[in-house]
Amino acid sequence: MDERVAEAAESQAPPGPEGTNRWRRRAAALLMAALPVLAGVLPATAPTAAAAPAASSGSAAAAAPSARTGTGSRSAQISLDEVTPAIPGKGDTLTLSGTVTNTSKTTLTDLRLAPRIGPRLTSRSAIQQAARRKGYLSGADGTEVPGDHGARLSGLASGITRAFTLKVPVSDLHLGSNGVHQLAVSLTGQTRNRPYAQILGIGRTFLPWQGEAPENRTRLTYLWPLISTPHVTARTQSDEQQTPVFQDDSLAEELAPGGRLQQMLELGKDLDVTWVIDPDLLASVDMMAGRYRVQKPGGEPDETVAGKNQAYAKRWLAELQQAVEDKEVVALPFADPDLASLAHRGTRVRGALSSLGQATALARRTVQVVLHVKPSTDFAWPYQGAVDSSIVDVATSAGAHNVIARSDSVRETELSYSPTAARPIGSGNTALVADTLLSTAFEGDMSRAGNSSLAVQRFAAQSLALARQMPSRSRSVVVAPQRRPSVSQAQAMADGIRALEHSSWTETSSLADAAEAKPDPNARRRMPAPSSYPSSLRKSELPTAAFEQVRKTKDGLEDFKRILSQADRVMPPFTTAIDREVSNAWRGEARAGQRYRDTVEKYLLELRGAVRLIKKSDITLSGREATIPVTVQNNLAQGVDGLVLELRSSRVGLDVGDAKRVKVDGEHTQSLKFDTSAKNNGRAYVYAQLYTEDGERYGKPMKFQVNVTSITSTVLLVIAGGVLLIVLAGIRMYTQRKRSGPAPDPDAPLEQPDDGGGDDAAAADNDDADGRGDDDADGGDGPRNGEHSADGAKTTDDARASESGAADGTDGTADGEGTDTAARAGSDGSDGSDGDDTERESDNPPATGEKVDR
């Protein structure tokens, strides 16, 4: 309201020549009604609007347009770009440099810039209120500094900017008592429509003044964060070095001269600060210092190009190692996990908390290996320092005993001052409550010099106001700025810290000392309930689905690890990538976080799919027993051992054999054969499935159809009868051979026939040639079936006659007799010699009924 009243008063101007007495009277009446209010706010040194009749309509609404930029005391914008020194001492001369810009639509004339010193601001809230105020407010903006310290400017056209520099001895400010004073530069001039002296613009800043050192100094701990977003993917090349693959080359841009991380390092190495480092950043830069690949923009994930910024990474690491030597280094859990999201959404998911302890252990090892210093992992830092009881429980579950909070989350309701940061919260844990106003002093756009300069002066002013709250008590204050400050923000932060180095009311302290400081007995120690967590921050948390996706990826990785012969080549890239999936970096970047999680999961599925069953076409089994081959393919660069292949039939009666162990070398296949048996004919589906050794499914099942075409019963009977006949024939041949005695000796000398026996032998030969004996020729009494022949051998022609198919029932047909003779000849076949049979039997013995010559 005070601003609007002041703006309304300044908008009063002498009427133009066309004004009438009626308008003059109305304006004068309204002005008289406003005199009680205006009497206390109009500056004594400036020309007053009450000295002349008003030209406005006289309504209260007339003040509204003048409150907008480009009118009244906002006709010009004054930016104080530099105040040196930021904290002056006795005998110093202030230098105020800046610019003035005409933001109105008319030309400004008869301009004069002058420094103004305002009243002392007695509280921290008064500093904040003064920083937010726009336009000129008489009384609150003080008076011009006595003496000729201003500067004249010629006319300033609309939109034109002009630079200025003013010098003011501190002694001319007459600061008097210690504390924070408002310092300003005002522009006085005229406009074409209002040709009288008026304030057209004002720029404010703050001037901390402490003439003598206080009895107790404030111990101030400033966190200097080296944190970035995830850059490394889960992918690696299949070479021996496992060359890492980066999402893009944006990390190199941050490490290059003038880049964000390069500036953070360059500025921080000369400051007395506590380095708070995400070990994932160190690991990423360390990988970039060697061979690395970068994914092609818009290409497939496996399309990469060689990275070429190793020099930036090597130089940055070398300089960081020197900068942190003998300095306090705090390592956050690897990849800076979002503790609040984990507490509010992740605890519902199995195994979500288990990775936090592993990330803490990995953080310690990474910092020691890369920076060669021993870091502290005893501090947890939730996003923006917002905490509640559930976040504290999660943060301390991984071994941290100190939780860095912020005072806008742990609010003091009964104290009129800012207590020491350390607050015991039970179970041996401590909450370090950082000061909100100091921690957020350099947020926003610091690229404009005016904003940066104002932030530095306000930071110094707030620190002095805090120290003056309890000058008799020494307190420990923690400043926890934004996690990833921009280059301009980092430069402003460094300017603010340097300014306090010359102050007499602060001294630097380590974070470990702040945690061990004696707590204020009246400070709040109870952590807020989860319901008090800011809704604006809760909206940006990782969803529960993100933790479910992480769990799914972790389970798949565990199954995959069990089958690998060299699991150490796969586990580190994936476990670190899984840690990055729940990073604080995804706050406000939900889509980017989802893409990163999807790429990790997709790549794991791609690797798991490299070990698979080759699709099998439908097969036919021609018999009750057969072998089914199933092939396992391994397209990985390393061998696989630890899988079991199992077949399962959809039909009872088809046995597909027992499960078989799978062991396949890298980039090879293995064919496993399953002995199957079927009890009946028909079709059935067979499902092939890979399992891990602990029974977990691996990959998708492979289905194929099996058609069993078993031999019929009739065919089996015929085959069985044929086999029986062959067996019987073999038995007969065996018995015949036993009766005939041993085979003749082929090397024995032939016997000479007697003189009188030639005719008998010849006759016998003739009989054999004819196939009949003499008795047969005459039709006399020759040998019959069952009778003994002349040489004493009993003939058995009944079976042979049956086998040859004789149907007349007569005894001793020619064929039958020939068969009998042939059988005897085959069995006797010698001249009566008793030598052993050493000759190999014929491979093709004569069949039944076959006639052979003796």
Side-chain angles (χ1 to χ4, degrees):
M1 180 63 70
D2 292 342
E3 289 185 42
R4 291 195 293 271
V5 171
E7 293 285 358
E10 293 166 14
S11 68
Q12 309 304 315
E18 70 278 6
T20 63
N21 290 334
R22 178 166 57 87
W23 287 107
R24 289 173 183 266
R25 287 193 298 270
R26 290 183 179 180
L30 288 171
L31 185 59
M32 292 299 293
L35 279 178
V37 177
L38 296 178
V41 297
L42 290 177
T45 59
T48 63
S56 68
S57 63
S59 65
S66 65
R68 293 195 296 267
T69 299
T71 61
S73 62
R74 301 187 190 182
S75 300
Q77 179 180 349
I78 299 177
S79 174
L80 286 172
D81 298 341
E82 186 177 9
V83 178
T84 55
I87 302 175
K90 294 179 179 179
D92 289 338
T93 297
L94 277 178
T95 300
L96 308 177
S97 301
T99 59
V100 55
T101 303
N102 183 358
T103 58
S104 70
K105 297 180 180 180
T106 184
T107 300
L108 306 179
T109 59
D110 195 18
L111 302 177
R112 179 175 176 272
L113 287 165
R116 306 178 72 90
I117 190 69
R120 186 168 63 91
L121 303 174
T122 59
S123 67
R124 303 185 70 187
S125 59
I127 297 174
Q128 291 300 101
Q129 184 178 0
R132 291 192 297 265
R133 193 165 64 246
K134 304 295 182 183
Y136 170 76
L137 183 60
S138 179
D141 285 322
T143 60
E144 288 188 11
V145 177
D148 188 13
H149 304 300
R152 293 282 180 178
L153 299 177
S154 59
L156 198 62
S158 177
I160 298 301
T161 299
R162 209 164 283 170
F164 68 86
T165 298
L166 304 179
K167 292 185 178 292
V168 184
V170 173
S171 58
D172 289 351
L173 297 176
H174 303 291
L175 296 176
S177 58
N178 296 329
V180 177
H181 297 262
Q182 179 182 286
L183 181 66
V185 173
S186 61
L187 177 67
T188 304
Q190 300 180 12
T191 65
R192 181 178 302 174
N193 296 332
R194 297 171 181 166
Y196 59 89
Q198 57 186 302
I199 293 180
L200 300 175
I202 187 169
R204 300 181 186 83
T205 189
F206 303 97
L207 191 66
W209 173 251
Q210 184 72 27
E212 65 280 347
E215 180 180 354
N216 294 291
R217 290 191 174 196
T218 301
R219 298 189 300 275
L220 190 140
T221 302
Y222 204 102
L223 307 185
W224 195 255
L226 285 183
I227 301 172
S228 186
T229 57
H231 297 280
V232 183
T233 69
R235 290 182 177 271
T236 59
Q237 299 289 297
S238 58
D239 53 5
E240 187 67 26
Q241 294 77 20
Q242 285 190 273
T243 302
V245 177
F246 284 64
Q247 292 185 110
D248 49 45
D249 230 357
S250 59
L251 180 58
E253 297 175 2
E254 293 191 82
L255 300 175
R260 189 184 71 85
L261 290 173
Q262 189 274 337
Q263 284 293 294
M264 288 291 294
L265 174 56
E266 187 68 23
L267 295 168
K269 66 183 181 181
D270 296 326
L271 302 175
D272 191 3
V273 293
T274 294
W275 296 82
V276 180
I277 301 177
D278 176 10
D280 178 38
L281 173 61
L282 298 181
S284 301
V285 178
D286 189 51
M287 285 186 279
M288 182 174 280
R291 289 179 53 189
Y292 72 100
R293 308 283 297 182
V294 180
Q295 290 179 340
K296 285 185 177 180
E300 294 296 324
D302 57 350
E303 295 179 355
T304 62
V305 296
K308 301 178 181 180
N309 295 294
Q310 288 86 352
Y312 294 153
K314 292 178 181 178
R315 182 170 58 247
W316 191 84
L317 281 179
E319 292 180 359
L320 181 60
Q321 289 172 356
Q322 294 178 357
V324 300
E325 190 177 0
D326 300 327
K327 297 289 184 68
E328 184 181 36
V329 176
V330 172
L332 299 174
F334 194 91
D336 186 22
D338 190 340
L339 300 176
S341 296
L342 188 59
H344 298 155
R345 314 288 178 91
T347 51
R348 309 171 191 172
V349 180
R350 172 178 55 83
L353 286 177
S354 61
S355 60
L356 189 58
Q358 299 170 1
T360 301
L362 178 59
R364 183 184 300 107
R365 294 195 303 269
T366 302
V367 175
Q368 288 178 336
V369 170
V370 177
L371 295 184
H372 312 301
V373 298
K374 185 177 181 180
S376 172
T377 57
D378 203 27
F379 296 89
W381 189 13
Y383 183 70
Q384 291 192 4
V387 298
D388 57 42
S389 56
S390 65
I391 297 175
V392 171
D393 292 340
V394 168
T396 57
S397 65
H401 295 90
N402 303 286
V403 181
I404 301 172
R406 213 165 66 181
S407 58
D408 56 348
S409 178
V410 184
R411 297 180 181 272
E412 295 294 338
T413 57
E414 300 180 357
L415 297 180
S416 59
Y417 59 91
S418 299
T420 289
R423 319 282 178 86
I425 53 177
S427 302
N429 300 318
T430 301
L432 290 172
V433 182
D435 186 82
T436 300
L437 295 179
L438 296 178
S439 299
T440 59
F442 302 103
E443 293 182 356
D445 182 15
M446 296 288 114
S447 60
R448 293 182 61 240
N451 293 349
S452 176
S453 175
L454 177 60
V456 171
Q457 296 302 124
R458 185 170 57 195
F459 178 76
Q462 286 287 355
S463 68
L464 177 57
L466 185 149
R468 290 185 56 80
Q469 289 175 340
M470 297 287 290
S472 61
R473 182 179 299 178
S474 178
R475 286 168 292 165
S476 178
V477 176
V478 174
V479 180
Q482 58 272 34
R483 269 177 155 74
R484 297 190 302 276
S486 64
V487 172
S488 58
Q489 289 173 342
Q491 291 170 344
M493 289 162 52
D495 290 341
I497 296 173
R498 291 193 198 99
L500 290 186
E501 289 177 354
H502 303 287
S503 72
S504 60
W505 59 87
T506 63
E507 62 183 9
T508 57
S509 174
S510 68
L511 190 61
D513 290 341
E516 296 175 359
K518 183 179 180 180
D520 192 314
N522 298 319
R524 179 179 178 179
R525 302 186 180 188
R526 186 182 183 87
M527 293 295 101
S531 59
S532 65
Y533 191 79
S535 58
S536 59
L537 297 182
R538 195 178 289 271
K539 291 177 182 178
S540 65
E541 288 181 341
L542 294 173
T544 302
F547 293 98
E548 291 284 0
Q549 187 175 11
V550 171
R551 180 196 60 78
K552 180 180 177 182
T553 303
K554 290 173 65 176
D555 290 346
L557 181 62
E558 285 297 316
D559 291 342
F560 188 52
K561 178 185 71 173
R562 295 188 183 99
I563 72 170
L564 298 176
S565 59
Q566 294 177 292
D568 57 332
R569 288 180 59 87
V570 174
M571 292 302 292
F574 268 103
T575 53
T576 54
I578 291 173
D579 288 337
R580 298 182 190 107
E581 291 183 357
V582 295
S583 172
N584 273 306
W586 308 126
R587 287 279 189 156
E589 300 289 342
R591 291 185 179 179
Q594 184 64 59
R595 283 196 302 269
Y596 189 87
R597 292 190 295 273
D598 289 344
T599 55
V600 174
E601 181 181 25
K602 183 178 179 181
Y603 182 49
L604 178 59
L605 292 176
E606 180 182 326
L607 291 182
R608 286 171 58 90
V611 182
R612 62 187 183 90
L613 299 172
I614 294 180
K615 181 64 179 176
K616 191 174 186 63
S617 59
D618 298 342
I619 63 174
T620 300
L621 300 182
S622 300
R624 294 295 178 88
E625 295 183 356
T627 299
I628 297 179
V630 179
T631 303
V632 181
Q633 186 179 48
N634 176 19
N635 287 330
L636 296 175
Q638 61 172 290
V640 169
D641 186 8
L643 284 176
V644 175
L645 177 59
E646 181 178 305
L647 299 189
R648 179 174 58 86
S649 173
S650 64
R651 196 188 68 188
V652 177
L654 178 61
D655 185 3
V656 291
D658 298 330
K660 296 183 180 298
R661 185 181 180 86
V662 177
K663 185 176 182 180
V664 195
D665 292 335
E667 299 179 346
H668 282 73
T669 60
Q670 181 188 16
S671 183
L672 304 172
K673 296 182 179 180
F674 290 81
D675 296 330
T676 62
S677 61
K679 296 181 180 179
N680 47 33
N681 299 343
R683 297 177 183 272
Y685 285 106
V686 173
Y687 299 88
Q689 175 68 62
L690 289 170
Y691 292 90
T692 59
E693 290 183 331
D694 57 355
E696 293 292 332
R697 289 175 179 264
Y698 185 90
K700 296 181 179 179
M702 187 261 290
K703 183 178 75 171
F704 58 94
Q705 190 179 77
V706 174
N707 184 20
V708 180
T709 57
S710 179
I711 301 173
T712 62
S713 301
T714 303
V715 175
L716 287 176
L717 289 175
V718 172
I719 294 175
V723 171
L724 180 60
L725 289 175
I726 293 173
V727 171
L728 292 175
I731 294 174
R732 176 175 175 77
M733 292 174 62
Y734 175 76
T735 56
Q736 289 283 355
R737 186 176 293 112
K738 293 291 288 183
R739 279 204 303 257
S740 62
D745 185 359
D747 297 328
L750 297 175
E751 294 183 1
Q752 296 296 327
D754 296 336
D755 293 340
D759 294 338
D760 296 337
D765 290 340
N766 291 334
D767 291 343
D768 291 339
D770 294 339
R772 300 187 300 268
D774 291 340
D775 294 337
D776 292 337
D778 296 337
D781 299 330
R784 299 292 182 182
N785 293 337
E787 295 179 357
H788 293 278
S789 63
D791 57 0
K794 182 179 181 180
T795 61
T796 58
D797 293 334
D798 293 341
R800 289 196 300 274
S802 174
E803 294 172 6
S804 63
D808 53 2
T810 60
D811 297 331
T813 63
D815 291 338
E817 290 171 357
T819 300
D820 185 44
T821 305
R824 287 197 303 272
S827 62
D828 201 24
S830 66
D831 55 5
S833 174
D834 294 332
D836 293 336
D837 183 8
T838 61
E839 192 175 38
R840 184 174 63 88
E841 298 179 8
S842 173
D843 291 336
N844 297 303
T848 304
E850 182 179 353
K851 181 178 179 181
V852 297
D853 294 333
R854 296 182 61 183

